[in-house]
C-alpha cells in the first residue's frame, strides 16, 4: 500500500514536472519521500530521491540536488542497480557542468558512459554523448564537440528520442554561433524549433528562441533579436524559470539599443 502511494505521488509529480510546474511537482515528490522514509523501501526511496534531485537541478538548487543524487547513488550501489547508477552519475555530471566544473563533469560522464556501453543503453548513451559534446565545446575542443553531437543525433534517431534531437540541434547551433557561422547556427536552431513545435514543448521552443535571439543580436539585427527574446521571456514568466530576471534585463537592453538605432521607442 505504501509503495503504491509513493508510486502514485511520484507519478503525479512527474506529470507536473513534464508541464514545467516545478513547485507542484516538488510538493508531490516531498510527500512521496515521507512515505518512503516511513516504509523503508529502498528502491522506491531511490526513485523519489532521484526525482527530487531532478526538480532541484532544473530549478537552480544545485547543492540540494547534489545531496539528493549522492544519497541515490549510495542506495543504487547497495541495490546493484547499474542502470540507475549510470543515470545518477550523468545527473551529477550535469550539476558539475551547470557550475562550470568541466573536468569534474567529464569524469562523471565518462564513468556513466562505461556503464551504458556495458548495458547497451543506447537511449542513455545518446543523451550522454550530447553532454560530452557540451564539455568539449566549453573546453575549446570544438571538433570533438561536433563529433559527439553527430554521434548523439544518430543514436537519438535510432531510439526515437525527438525531444533529444531538438536539444542536440540547439547545442550544435550554439557551437556554430560561437564560431560566428550564423547560417549553420540558424539552420540548426530552426530544425530544433520545428521538432519542439511538433512536440508542443514550450520549454524547448523557448530554448530555440533564445539561440535565435542570440544569432540576430550577434549580427546587429536588433528588431529580430527583440522579437525572439520577448517570446523567451514569456516562457520564463509562464514557468517561473530561473533566468527570468536576467533575460528581462537583456530584453530591456536590446529594446534600448533598437530605439537608439531606429529613433523610436519600442514597447
Amino acid at each position: 500500500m505504501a509503495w503504491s502511494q509513493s508510486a502514485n505521488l511520484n507519478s503525479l509529480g512527474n506529470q507536473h514536472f513534464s508541464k514545467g510546474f516545478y513547485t507542484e511537482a516538488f510538493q508531490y515528490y516531498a510527500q512521496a519521500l515521507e512515505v518512503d522514509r516511513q516504509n523503508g523501501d529502498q528502491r522506491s526511496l531511490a526513485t523519489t530521491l532521484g526525482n527530487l534531485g531532478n526538480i532541484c537541478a532544473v530549478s537552480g538548487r544545485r547543492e540540494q540536488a547534489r545531496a539528493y543524487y549522492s544519497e541515490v547513488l549510495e542506495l543504487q550501489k547497495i541495490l546493484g542497480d547499474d542502470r540507475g547508477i549510470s543515470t545518477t552519475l550523468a545527473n551529477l555530471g550535469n550539476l558539475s557542468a551547470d557550475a562550470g566544473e568541466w573536468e569534474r563533469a567529464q569524469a562523471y560522464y565518462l564513468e556513466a558512459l562505461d556503464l551504458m556501453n556495458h548495458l547497451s543503453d543506447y537511449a542513455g548513451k545518446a543523451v550522454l554523448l550530447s553532454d560530452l559534446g557540451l564539455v568539449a565545446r566549453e573546453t575549446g575542443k570544438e571538433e570533438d564537440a561536433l563529433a559527439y553531437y553527430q554521434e548523439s543525433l544518430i543514436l537519438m534517431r535510432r531510439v526515437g528520442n525527438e525531444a533529444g534531437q531538438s536539444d542536440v540541434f540547439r547545442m550544435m547551433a550554439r557551437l556554430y554561433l560561437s564560431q560566428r557561422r550564423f547560417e549553420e547556427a540558424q539552420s540548426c536552431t530552426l530544425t530544433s524549433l520545428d521538432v519542439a513545435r511538433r512536440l508542443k514543448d514550450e520549454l524547448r521552443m523557448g530554448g530555440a528562441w533564445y539561440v535565435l535571439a542570440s544569432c540576430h543580436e550577434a549580427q546587429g539585427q536588433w528588431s529580430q533579436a527583440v522579437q525572439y527574446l520577448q517570446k523567451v521571456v514569456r516562457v520564463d514568466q509562464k514557468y517561473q524559470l530561473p533566468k527570468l530576471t536576467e533575460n528581462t534585463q537583456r530584453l530591456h537592453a536590446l529594446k534600448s539599443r533598437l530605439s537608439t538605432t531606429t529613433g523610436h521607442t519600442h514597447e
Side-chain angles (χ1 to χ4, degrees):
M1 178 65 195
W3 178 86
S4 62
Q5 188 182 358
S6 171
N8 185 47
L9 287 165
N10 272 297
S11 177
L12 288 166
N14 292 343
Q15 287 170 35
H16 283 82
F17 192 178
S18 68
K19 293 173 184 170
F21 301 136
Y22 298 150
T23 304
E24 295 87 343
F26 184 88
Q27 288 166 353
Y28 282 116
Y29 295 147
Q31 288 173 46
L33 183 62
E34 283 183 38
V35 173
D36 291 330
R37 295 248 190 246
Q38 289 167 11
N39 186 43
D41 183 329
Q42 289 186 315
R43 286 192 184 278
S44 186
L45 178 59
T47 298
T48 303
L49 287 166
N51 286 335
L52 280 162
N54 294 340
I55 205 86
C56 289
V58 298
S59 53
R61 290 176 276 179
R62 194 179 298 129
E63 288 313 309
Q64 203 174 345
R66 199 186 300 276
Y68 284 131
Y69 287 147
S70 297
E71 190 176 351
V72 175
L73 197 58
E74 292 311 308
L75 280 172
Q76 288 166 334
K77 286 175 180 175
I78 291 166
L79 294 164
D81 178 8
D82 283 352
R83 189 174 289 270
I85 290 168
S86 69
T87 299
T88 303
L89 286 168
N91 286 335
L92 283 163
N94 293 340
L95 286 181
S96 297
D98 286 343
E101 300 165 351
W102 303 115
E103 283 185 24
R104 191 176 184 187
Q106 186 178 40
Y108 279 127
Y109 290 152
L110 290 174
E111 194 178 345
L113 186 62
D114 282 344
L115 277 173
M116 288 175 184
N117 282 330
H118 177 68
L119 295 163
S120 299
D121 178 6
Y122 299 116
K125 185 178 175 181
V127 176
L128 199 71
L129 286 166
S130 70
D131 293 332
L132 282 163
L134 172 67
V135 171
R137 191 193 90 201
E138 291 293 335
T139 51
K141 298 168 185 168
E142 294 177 349
E143 285 185 21
D144 288 351
L146 200 55
Y148 278 130
Y149 291 149
Q150 287 167 342
E151 190 181 351
S152 173
L153 268 180
I154 290 166
L155 285 181
M156 292 282 186
R157 291 187 181 115
R158 179 173 171 179
V159 300
N161 184 351
E162 287 195 279
Q165 288 175 50
S166 177
D167 292 340
V168 176
F169 275 116
R170 189 176 66 251
M171 293 166 89
M172 287 172 71
R174 291 172 71 92
L175 174 60
Y176 287 133
L177 178 58
S178 71
Q179 297 173 329
R180 299 187 67 79
R181 293 163 67 179
F182 299 121
E183 196 172 319
E184 287 129 307
Q186 284 178 231
S187 175
C188 283
T189 314
L190 290 171
T191 303
S192 172
L193 184 59
D194 282 344
V195 176
R197 279 197 177 119
R198 191 162 66 245
L199 297 171
K200 298 181 171 62
D201 188 328
E202 286 186 297
L203 293 174
R204 284 187 167 86
M205 286 159 67
W209 286 327
Y210 183 89
V211 179
L212 284 169
S214 300
C215 279
H216 289 294
E217 184 182 4
Q219 295 175 87
Q221 297 164 347
W222 314 124
S223 179
Q224 294 97 317
V226 164
Q227 285 171 18
Y228 284 120
L229 203 56
Q230 281 174 329
K231 292 174 184 282
V232 173
V233 168
R234 280 198 288 272
V235 172
D236 288 346
Q237 287 169 334
K238 181 172 180 179
Y239 296 104
Q240 300 170 342
L241 298 182
K243 278 196 158 188
L244 173 60
T245 303
E246 180 188 323
N247 288 336
T248 302
Q249 289 171 347
R250 185 177 166 198
L251 179 59
H252 287 318
L254 277 173
K255 284 182 173 179
S256 297
R257 185 162 249 179
L258 176 58
S259 62
T260 303
T261 307
T262 60
H264 299 293
T265 302
H266 291 251
E267 293 302 325

